[in-house]
Amino acid sequence: IRYSQLAGPDHDIFLNDDLIQMTGAGDLGRRVGVVLIGLGGILACVRNRVKLRCSMGAMEVALAVLAIWILLSVVWADDVLLTIRRSLSFVLLSIAAVGFACYFEQRDGLRFLFVSSMTFVVFGLATEVALGTFSPGDITYRFCGTIHPNHQAWNCCGLALAGVGLATTERRYRAFFLSCSVLALAVLIL
């Protein structure tokens, strides 16, 4: 709710040294969460006996170059420990993505993305309306809901893409999924 309360033209968010230090160090909950997600991905890989394929198509080459670039960023980093932590988070989350992608079907992923993104968008709209910060007519307004506006934009995009994906793969509720996609794009523009 903290971002909804700060939304609007009368409020500016200033970064102070404490906030910068806290963001760089990361909180314990996030660290534990990333490790647990990574371990869950490893467990999913082991449980499904994931066999790594060695095909080197364009997607695999692009992902390998990205992974190498991220891991090599330790060489030129100003804060080496922070870069190692963030690189380790990337590795753990990548393993989790592979494990969960092998464990679930594509439609399950679309459904999860749809429900989780829809939850953030709907609760965000409800929060802004309840707090009186929903003012799309204001030129400086950015829809944020309960999280930062940049993160809420990711949820709007995820909802729009998942809605279109589910509308093409599901036989029932096609109009509902498409209307949710339109809503997400409209809220994204706000």
Side-chain angles (χ1 to χ4, degrees):
I1 296 177
R2 63 177 177 234
Y3 287 107
S4 289
Q5 293 169 345
L6 295 174
D10 299 332
H11 301 284
D12 292 325
I13 300 173
F14 295 101
L15 294 178
N16 60 23
D17 292 337
D18 295 334
L19 182 61
I20 292 170
Q21 183 65 25
M22 184 179 67
T23 304
D27 68 356
L28 182 62
R30 184 186 327 189
R31 290 180 186 177
V32 170
V34 168
V35 170
L36 288 176
I37 289 172
L39 290 175
I42 291 170
L43 180 66
C45 285
V46 169
R47 187 168 184 193
N48 287 325
R49 296 183 181 94
V50 174
K51 295 177 178 65
L52 297 176
R53 295 178 295 155
C54 292
S55 63
M56 290 305 284
M59 179 65 82
E60 288 82 4
V61 170
L63 290 174
V65 168
L66 174 66
I68 290 169
W69 183 264
I70 288 172
L71 294 174
L72 283 177
S73 65
V74 174
V75 174
W76 60 80
D78 290 332
D79 189 351
V80 175
L81 290 177
L82 177 64
T83 305
I84 290 172
R85 279 198 308 264
R86 301 297 167 142
S87 298
L88 183 61
S89 294
F90 167 75
V91 169
L92 289 173
L93 292 175
S94 297
I95 292 170
V98 169
F100 294 135
C102 293
Y103 194 73
F104 295 106
E105 293 181 15
Q106 181 182 5
R107 260 196 264 175
D108 295 332
L110 283 174
R111 289 178 187 137
F112 176 77
L113 179 62
F114 182 84
V115 170
S116 60
S117 296
M118 178 66 102
T119 301
F120 273 104
V121 170
V122 168
F123 281 138
L125 282 171
T127 301
E128 285 200 0
V129 168
L131 293 174
T133 58
F134 184 72
S135 56
D138 186 5
I139 196 162
T140 61
Y141 173 76
R142 289 182 66 193
F143 172 64
C144 60
T146 58
I147 56 179
H148 192 276
N150 294 345
H151 299 146
Q152 191 65 275
W154 282 99
N155 286 312
C156 292
C157 291
L159 177 60
L161 292 173
V164 169
L166 287 172
T168 58
T169 60
E170 300 285 336
R171 290 186 177 148
R172 297 174 51 190
Y173 309 114
R174 192 168 286 176
F176 171 72
F177 290 129
L178 287 176
S179 62
C180 287
S181 293
V182 170
L183 168 73
L185 290 175
V187 172
L188 178 65
I189 293 171
L190 293 177

